[in-house]
């Protein structure tokens, strides 16, 4: 059996494959030199005085640091400079569904088109929403060294899924807006009827995250606002709120005004649950002026 570096022709003559490749390159280089052509490819060299390709010129400028990233959708890169309800909500979306690459580009991807369009409107980037995964998701990208450094100073890191924590230096009056964005991105709001003969659906709000630190911080935020919550999970941590009084208080914290940015379908579930009449919790009170069951009526 022939070796890996041995070629046997149909006539039975053997030759070295490496030697054949060297002779072939030499023949091509000689023919190109006779014809006055520039041999392209990994073994070709651009002759002195010949014009370089645009790609070669760009690579040389990039090595010298003379190039800038091409970004066709400009936006307001001062958006993250000052705290506001809009800025805190977008920050929550980035903490949930955003990604910061090793450069200065932030990408937000979601299956909710209206959420991505709201972000584009807030950061003043018209036309920046693009389809992803054959239209199953929508994404928006914005790039700026200034904004990237500001987000890094707030705690955003590359490959954040397991490391992200509560934003640094966030002002208390904007934490509810941040939580609204966090739940709009990685939260679950559902109406369920899982019990037998259940007449009215239950509302459940849950934050799902792979970061243990973020789950613990959200749990502490619930405790600080007297919201009854529970946390469970190992690889994916879930912080759930299901108690009725806590859900009503959470609705007031998240949606103090309809003008604030939010994901409409999750707010609609809140309001659908709130519109259902419910009996007071606890055992019903007994009227003292009526006879109790099992007791004889005194008038008989």
């Amino acid at each position: 059996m022939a070796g890996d570096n041995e070629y046997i022709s149909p006539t039975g003559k053997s030759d070295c494959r490496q030697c054949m490749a060297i002779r072939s390159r030499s023949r091509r280089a000689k023919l190109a030199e006779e014809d006055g052509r520039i041999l392209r490819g990994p073994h070709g060299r651009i002759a002195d005085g010949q014009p370089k390709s645009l790609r070669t010129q760009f690579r040389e400028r990039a090595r010298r640091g003379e190039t800038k990233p091409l970004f066709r959708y400009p936006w307001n890169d001062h958006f993250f400079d000052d705290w506001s309800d809009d800025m805190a909500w977008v920050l929550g979306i980035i903490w949930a569904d955003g990604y910061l690459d090793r450069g200065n580009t932030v990408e937000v991807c979601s299956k909710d088109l209206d959420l991505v369009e709201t972000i584009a409107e807030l950061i003043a980037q018209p036309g920046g929403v693009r389809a992803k995964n054959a239209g199953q998701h929508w994404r928006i990208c914005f790039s700026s060294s200034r904004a990237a450094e500001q987000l890094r100073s707030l705690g955003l890191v590359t490959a954040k899924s397991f490391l992200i924590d509560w934003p640094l230096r966030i002002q208390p009056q904007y934490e509810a807006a941040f939580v609204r964005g966090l739940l709009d991105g990685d939260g679950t709001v559902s109406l369920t009827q899982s019990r037998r003969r259940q007449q009215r659906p239950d509302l459940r709000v849950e934050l799902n995250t792979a970061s243990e630190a973020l789950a613990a911080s959200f749990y502490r935020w619930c405790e600080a606002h007297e919201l009854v919550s529970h946390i469970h999970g190992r690889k994916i941590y879930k912080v759930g709120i299901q108690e009725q009084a806590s859900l009503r208080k959470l609705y007031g914290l998240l949606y103090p005004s309809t003008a604030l940015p939010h994901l409409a379908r999750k707010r609609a579930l809140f309001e659908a649950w709130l519109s259902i009449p419910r009996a007071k919790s606890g055992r019903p009170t007994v009227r003292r002026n009526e006879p109790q069951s099992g007791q004889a009526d005194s008038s008989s």
Side-chain angles (χ1 to χ4, degrees):
M1 183 176 180
D4 294 339
N5 195 36
E6 184 180 4
Y7 169 75
I8 300 178
S9 67
T11 59
K13 182 179 178 181
S14 63
D15 201 350
C16 173
R17 293 180 183 271
Q18 186 175 3
C19 297
M20 292 173 62
I22 294 174
R23 290 197 299 267
S24 177
R25 287 198 297 269
S26 300
R27 285 195 299 268
R28 291 200 304 271
K30 185 176 180 180
L31 291 174
E33 184 178 358
E34 292 175 355
D35 296 340
R37 294 181 288 108
I38 299 176
L39 186 63
R40 302 293 182 180
H43 303 288
R45 296 292 183 270
I46 298 178
D48 293 339
Q50 294 292 331
K52 300 178 182 179
S53 66
L54 295 178
R55 184 173 64 176
T56 301
Q57 296 177 38
F58 176 82
R59 288 176 175 174
E60 290 181 351
R61 292 198 306 271
R63 284 194 293 268
R64 295 193 299 266
E66 298 175 357
T67 60
K68 295 183 179 180
L70 177 63
F71 195 75
R72 65 181 67 180
Y73 300 108
W75 65 291
N76 177 22
D77 61 349
H78 294 271
F79 179 76
F80 297 101
D81 289 354
D82 300 318
W83 284 100
S84 66
D85 284 325
D86 294 347
M87 180 270 203
W89 180 77
V90 174
L91 198 69
I93 296 293
I94 295 174
W95 250 238
D97 289 335
Y99 169 74
L100 174 64
D101 64 10
R102 296 185 182 277
N104 299 318
T105 301
V106 177
E107 177 181 338
V108 176
C109 180
S110 175
K111 65 179 181 181
D112 294 290
L113 176 60
D114 54 344
L115 183 143
V116 183
E117 288 179 339
T118 302
I119 296 176
E121 181 180 354
L122 293 175
I123 66 174
Q125 190 192 77
V129 179
R130 285 158 283 178
K132 187 176 182 179
N133 298 332
Q136 297 181 4
H137 295 82
W138 302 90
R139 71 187 182 102
I140 183 171
C141 297
F142 43 92
S143 179
S144 167
S145 58
R146 174 194 182 92
E149 289 303 320
Q150 180 70 12
L151 291 173
R152 290 189 182 98
S153 69
L154 295 175
L156 184 63
V157 294
T158 304
K160 65 175 179 58
S161 298
F162 301 96
L163 305 174
I164 200 70
D165 200 349
W166 209 251
L168 302 174
R169 306 188 312 276
I170 183 171
Q171 300 178 17
Q173 62 267 33
Y174 300 116
E175 286 186 334
F178 170 77
V179 171
R180 183 171 67 251
L182 199 63
L183 292 176
D184 284 348
D186 274 346
T188 302
V189 181
S190 58
L191 286 173
T192 59
Q193 289 185 249
S194 56
R195 299 190 303 274
R196 185 180 180 184
R197 297 179 181 178
Q198 183 177 352
Q199 298 180 358
R200 300 175 180 85
D202 293 327
L203 179 67
R204 181 182 180 87
V205 178
E206 192 172 67
L207 174 67
N208 307 295
T209 177
S211 172
E212 184 179 6
L214 183 61
S217 296
F218 177 66
Y219 180 80
R220 288 192 295 268
W221 180 84
C222 292
E223 283 188 329
H225 291 83
E226 300 179 351
L227 303 177
V228 178
S229 61
H230 59 277
I231 182 171
H232 63 280
R234 295 183 62 184
K235 295 183 179 180
I236 300 297
Y237 300 93
K238 301 180 179 182
V239 186
I241 304 172
Q242 201 170 4
E243 198 264 343
Q244 291 189 22
S246 297
L247 290 170
R248 295 178 186 276
K249 189 171 184 180
L250 178 64
Y251 175 82
L253 290 170
L254 297 182
Y255 307 106
S257 171
T258 57
L260 296 175
H262 62 278
L263 188 57
R265 65 179 180 87
K266 293 188 177 181
R267 176 175 179 167
L269 291 175
F270 261 104
E271 295 179 344
W273 177 78
L274 290 171
S275 64
I276 299 174
R278 295 176 178 272
K280 293 183 179 180
S281 60
R283 301 181 63 181
T285 58
V286 178
R287 297 182 181 179
R288 297 301 180 183
N289 57 351
E290 295 181 358
Q292 303 295 317
S293 61
Q295 295 180 1
D297 191 352
S298 59
S299 61
S300 60

